[in-house]
């Protein structure tokens, strides 16, 4: 960062003074951090909300952009089964990270050009250390690549380089109070993801029951059976965002996820 001419302010989600100071000095803020501590998910959600509120107060009345990160998976508890999620779908405080979304969007009425980027559960590409590498590690450990039930539940996905460009466009031009979707694949059947993992690891690809999922997938069990088809058509039209990097399955087929 310093080589690119940027000043670095080191802080933490729980260091609210650092967040206030950084936001006050910045031309705009992109909030990407989140405590991925699934042993205290409620605490992680609360910390995220405090961070959004703190940064928001520092930006009030400035007209500066504030882009807050959320996830498309929250839509699974809000929408009828199988319905494609869109940017018009609002959330509520009872949904994980819903309070943070609403707090951020409310800042549009207080002189902040705030927006939300909901990321797909798989933000993939070289350097990914999220859900897909975890699934690969689980398959190696268990000796099988598994999916739940018929495996036809769908995960949206986005290449991390396309996601990065979306955040840049959002901070530059997203209208105040807008919801954006970081999803280039609208929905990849989870069985296809498991199939690629099994083939590259030379492991059997098997179906397991919902009752077996907790023991097999651990903290990921709630996500692997989620059906989360998600559109980004409005985002693409609004910001001129066009994903150009490989989709999830072609990216997995390149093999870089499986190098040890």
């Amino acid at each position: 960062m310093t080589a690119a001419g940027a000043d670095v302010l080191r802080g933490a989600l729980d260091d609210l003074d650092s967040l206030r100071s950084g936001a006050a000095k910045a031309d705009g803020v992109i909030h990407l951090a989140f405590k991925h501590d699934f042993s205290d998910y409620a605490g992680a959600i609360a910390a995220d909300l405090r961070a959004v509120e703190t940064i928001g107060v520092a930006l009030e009345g400035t007209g500066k952009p504030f882009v807050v990160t959320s996830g498309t998976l929250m839509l699974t508890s809000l929408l009828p089964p199988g319905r494609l999620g869109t940017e018009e779908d609002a959330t509520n405080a009872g949904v994980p990270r819903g309070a943070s979304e609403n707090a951020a969007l409310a800042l549009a009425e207080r002189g902040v050009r705030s927006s939300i980027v909901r990321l797909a559960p798989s933000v993939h590409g070289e350097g990914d250390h999220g859900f897909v590498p975890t699934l690969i590690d689980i398959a190696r450990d268990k000796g099988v690549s598994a999916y739940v039930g018929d495996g036809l539940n769908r995960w949206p996905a986005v290449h991390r380089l396309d996601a990065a460009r979306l955040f840049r466009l959002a901070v530059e031009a997203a209208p105040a109070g807008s919801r954006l979707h970081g999803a280039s694949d609208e929905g990849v059947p989870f069985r296809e993801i498991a199939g690629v993992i099994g083939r590259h690891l030379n492991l059997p690809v098997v179906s397991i029951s919902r009752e077996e999922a907790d023991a097999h997938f651990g903290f990921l069990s709630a996500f692997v059976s989620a059906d989360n088809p998600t559109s980004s058509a409005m985002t693409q039209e609004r910001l001129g965002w066009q994903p150009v990097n490989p989709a999830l399955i072609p990216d997995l087929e390149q093999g870089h996820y499986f190098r040890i």
Side-chain angles (χ1 to χ4, degrees):
M1 293 296 292
T2 53
D7 293 329
V8 176
L9 172 65
R10 300 194 181 277
L13 282 179
D14 294 323
D15 182 357
L16 300 183
D17 287 339
S18 71
L19 300 182
R20 289 188 194 94
S21 173
K25 295 175 182 177
D27 294 327
V29 176
I30 299 175
H31 171 49
L32 292 160
F34 189 79
K35 296 181 179 182
H36 288 93
D37 179 4
F38 292 95
S39 66
D40 183 19
Y41 196 47
I45 291 169
D48 185 60
L49 177 58
R50 286 193 300 271
V52 169
E53 291 174 336
T54 299
I55 294 169
V57 169
L59 295 177
E60 271 191 45
T62 65
K64 292 178 180 178
F66 181 24
V67 185
V68 172
T69 309
S70 184
T72 66
L73 279 172
M74 69 161 57
L75 298 175
T76 59
S77 62
L78 297 170
L79 304 180
R83 208 265 270 167
L84 189 69
T86 76
E87 296 86 340
E88 292 184 333
D89 292 315
T91 186
N92 59 64
V95 175
R97 304 183 80 167
S100 292
E101 273 206 13
N102 291 337
L105 296 179
L107 291 167
E109 303 299 323
R110 291 153 55 191
V112 182
R113 185 163 61 79
S114 57
S115 60
I116 295 293
V117 173
R118 291 171 176 160
L119 287 174
S122 175
V123 181
H124 58 90
E126 291 203 54
D128 177 11
H129 58 273
F131 285 170
V132 169
T134 303
L135 292 172
I136 292 169
D137 289 342
I138 291 171
R140 284 192 173 111
D141 179 60
K142 301 291 186 178
V144 296
S145 180
Y147 56 89
V148 178
D150 61 13
L152 295 180
N153 59 293
R154 293 155 291 178
W155 267 18
V158 63
H159 194 283
R160 67 186 188 90
L161 297 180
D162 290 320
R165 191 167 66 258
L166 174 56
F167 277 100
R168 177 181 63 79
L169 291 170
V171 81
E172 290 176 350
S178 56
R179 302 181 193 92
L180 307 168
H181 281 177
S184 50
D185 281 310
E186 286 192 349
V188 182
F190 195 87
R191 188 168 65 187
E192 292 186 19
I193 301 171
V196 176
I197 292 173
R199 186 166 65 255
H200 279 266
L201 296 180
N202 196 28
L203 293 174
V205 180
V206 302
S207 169
I208 62 174
S209 68
R210 293 183 185 275
E211 292 72 24
E212 296 171 302
D214 284 348
H216 187 90
F217 288 107
F219 79 91
L220 271 182
S221 62
F223 306 125
V224 296
S225 59
D227 188 37
N228 183 218
T230 303
S231 170
S232 65
M234 294 179 188
T235 298
Q236 295 188 41
E237 181 179 356
R238 180 177 287 152
L239 294 183
W241 177 62
Q242 293 293 327
V244 296
N245 288 282
L248 176 57
I249 296 301
D251 192 24
L252 284 169
E253 294 286 16
Q254 290 180 8
H256 57 83
Y257 272 98
F258 305 96
R259 298 175 191 142
I260 299 178

